[in-house]
Amino acid sequence: MHKVKCDNKLILSGEPEPADITEGCGSLGMFLMKRLLRHGDNVAVIDGVYSSELRYLELLENAVRVAASLQTQKNLRSGDVVGIISENRLEFPVALYAAFFANAAVAPINLTYTEREFDHALNLSKPKILFVSPHSADRVIAVARKNRHFIEHIFLFGEENSFGPDITLYEDFLAQSRAINPYSFQIKPTNVEEHVALIMCSSGTTGLPKGVQLTQRNVMASVWILSVLEASFEVPVVVLGVIPWFHAFGCLTLINVICNKLKLVSLPKFEEGLFLSCIENYRCSFVFVVPPLMVFLAKHPLVDNYDLTSINTLLCGAAPLSKETETLVKQRIGVKHVLQGYGMSETTLAMLVQSTVAVNKSGSVGILQAGTFAKVVDPESRKLLGPNQPGELYFKGNQIMKGYIGNEKETKDTIDKDGWLRTGDIGYYDEDGEFFIIDRLKELIKYKGYQVPPAEIEAILLTNPKIKDVGVVGLPDEAVGELPLAFVVKQPDVTLTEDEVRQYVAVRTSPAKRLHGG
């Protein structure tokens, strides 16, 4: 039973975590291999577009082959970085696990970025090896070639290579690599507390994304959370995932689902009919969603044409979900559980999650997860606050990031000397230890679950010689959360149209950061 600690520190705690979340493994790679070896030859991931499958044994064998070849042929070493710029596709988890088996860090990067954004992201993580999807290859390879002083090898997913001999087709590399018995492949132990496993891009309010460093222990701690949640499910679990794997929410759920021997049906992006037909055809019982997907399920007429009765649980994250939308979805498709969670890239996965075995209060984002601590702080006086008193949320525990790569100042501003991470979100807890999010101190705009920093759009617009000043805000929108909206002061004696302003931003940013609100 979760209880609020009533001492003078007003600090809350989740249940104790297991005595050894590493399961006796000396590295994340050893931990993941141990899990895969006991999963047999069951189906791990299904490509919902092409119906192709990746089985657990195939994932293990291919990841070991790629890891060994990268180590022996491409000089990949422990602590090096592997970048993955791709949509959700079956090669992604193989490249991800291969890097982990080699004790390399992985930097998943948003494939919708512009060349400017790619350049920034690549220079944050500085990958030695880069895996690239054909869908982003033109932009990525152009930027990667300008950064050959740290990017040594580029592998292209797909069947065709029109880029020249300095780019290697992934399929050719895999075919030429030697098959290795997974039992004979040696993964070295490391310091899991310090060794970085993932470098995720997280948008701050002051401009371009920061690189969030998640350690191997951070990732292992997150796996146990889904294990607890999965144990409470009443039906066999078939997961549908459309959240991009380059997003922290998507990447960590991919790892969690594979670690817990579940079947994952994956889609590269949200397409209405494909999303609904996958639920119907594969009898998906557990679906990871964001609020715009919930609005779709609540209101779109197409939903009535499909059999969605297999859905037992919808887990919603990335942005707040309204009670009205939750109620409409439950009434329309008869789903038993709509759970909300709360987390950030900086907290690996969820700090707070609602339960399938408890009555969750309206508007709650759940209770503290095992091994997690929280406190609520008055933003002005810095005093700790008690139940039902709104303030800034702080968290501490084994899922808190190591820090921002190459940015000690931002790290110190976010994590204090005692290990508490300040979220920039305003919320409170009640007498039962349930948490509620009510506002943001940070200025981030949430568009379809993506973080959009107004300062970055403002900085771009101010490079336009026709613009004197600008302010960007979020315009509330039921379907997507918030729409970026710019207020522009033009220079004297110039002509400037709204369409000019929109296009100026559109050619310089990824789709989420465009001026959808005007």
Side-chain angles (χ1 to χ4, degrees), residues 274-288:
L274 192 57
F275 176 79
L276 295 170
S277 64
C278 278
I279 296 173
E280 179 178 87
N281 295 337
Y282 293 106
R283 308 302 295 159
C284 297
S285 56
F286 187 96
V287 185
F288 290 107

Side-chain angles (χ1 to χ4, degrees), residues 2 27 33 38 65 69 97 102 121-122 196 240 257 269 320 322 347 391-392 398 413 437 462 497 509 513:
H2 176 91
S27 71
M33 180 172 281
R38 67 192 193 204
R65 285 178 71 171
S69 295
Y97 270 55
L122 290 170
V196 174
L240 176 61
V257 166
K269 63 180 179 178
S322 73
T347 64
E392 185 177 2
N398 278 321
D413 288 345
I437 309 297
L462 287 172
T497 67
T509 64
K513 299 174 185 175

Side-chain angles (χ1 to χ4, degrees), residues 107-395:
I109 296 172
N110 186 337
L111 85 161
T112 70
Y113 276 174
T114 62
E115 289 191 18
R116 163 183 160 271
E117 292 166 316
F118 279 133
D119 190 62
H120 172 76
L122 290 170
N123 277 278
L124 276 178
S125 54
K126 291 185 167 50
K128 176 187 273 190
I129 307 287
L130 197 58
F131 290 94
V132 182
S133 156
H135 293 288
S136 59
D138 286 339
R139 283 169 290 128
V140 174
I141 290 174
V143 175
R145 282 173 169 159
K146 297 174 184 176
N147 290 286
R148 279 297 200 175
H149 51 292
F150 57 82
I151 300 174
E152 297 182 9
H153 305 284
I154 302 172
F155 296 96
L156 178 65
F157 295 148
E159 299 176 353
E160 296 181 1
N161 176 15
S162 60
F163 294 96
D166 62 325
I167 310 300
T168 303
L169 274 177
Y170 166 83
E171 288 297 333
D172 291 347
F173 179 69
L174 183 63
Q176 294 164 10
S177 62
R178 185 170 59 90
I180 295 175
N181 184 336
Y183 286 95
S184 66
F185 182 73
Q186 296 298 311
I187 301 174
K188 294 181 180 179
T190 187
N191 181 354
V192 298
E193 304 275 358
E194 295 293 329
H195 198 117
V196 174
L198 288 168
I199 303 170
M200 309 299 305
C201 286
S202 175
S203 293
T205 57
T206 55
L208 288 162
K210 300 186 290 290
V212 174
Q213 299 177 103
L214 303 177
T215 68
Q216 294 193 1
R217 184 174 175 84
N218 287 154
V219 176
M220 287 188 268
S222 78
V223 169
W224 193 76
I225 290 174
L226 188 62
S227 302
V228 174
L229 188 61
E230 192 238 335
S232 69
F233 295 158
E234 307 97 333
V235 295
V237 181
V238 178
V239 179
L240 176 61
V242 70
I243 312 297
W245 292 337
F246 59 70
H247 190 289
F249 185 20
C251 187
L252 270 300
T253 52
L254 169 66
I255 295 168
N256 269 259
V257 166
I258 291 174
C259 278
N260 286 285
K261 198 183 176 182
L262 307 180
K263 183 187 293 183
L264 173 65
V265 181
S266 175
L267 292 172
K269 63 180 179 178
F270 176 70
E271 293 179 7
E272 296 166 353
L274 192 57
F275 176 79
L276 295 170
S277 64
C278 278
I279 296 173
E280 179 178 87
N281 295 337
Y282 293 106
R283 308 302 295 159
C284 297
S285 56
F286 187 96
V287 185
F288 290 107
V289 294
V290 292
L293 281 181
M294 290 292 287
V295 173
F296 167 79
L297 290 172
K299 299 187 175 182
H300 201 285
L302 194 61
V303 172
D304 293 327
N305 297 337
Y306 293 83
D307 177 7
L308 307 183
T309 56
S310 62
I311 302 177
N312 176 268
T313 302
L314 294 166
L315 179 59
C316 188
L321 174 69
S322 73
K323 182 61 180 176
E324 293 74 20
T325 300
E326 177 185 339
T327 301
L328 285 171
V329 171
K330 282 186 173 180
Q331 291 173 345
R332 187 178 194 188
I333 65 176
V335 61
K336 187 171 183 180
H337 303 293
V338 175
L339 306 181
Q340 289 197 67
Y342 171 87
M344 309 161 61
S345 302
E346 290 85 347
T347 64
T348 309
L349 201 52
M351 293 281 99
L352 305 162
V353 178
Q354 291 181 329
S355 168
T356 60
V357 296
V359 177
N360 299 302
K361 297 189 180 78
S362 175
S364 158
V365 290
I367 62 173
L368 282 167
Q369 296 303 287
T372 302
F373 299 85
K375 62 183 179 181
V376 180
V377 179
D378 186 299
E380 295 183 2
S381 70
R382 315 310 300 165
K383 291 182 179 179
L384 298 188
L385 301 174
N388 303 305
Q389 294 179 290
E392 185 177 2
L393 299 179
Y394 281 65
F395 291 103

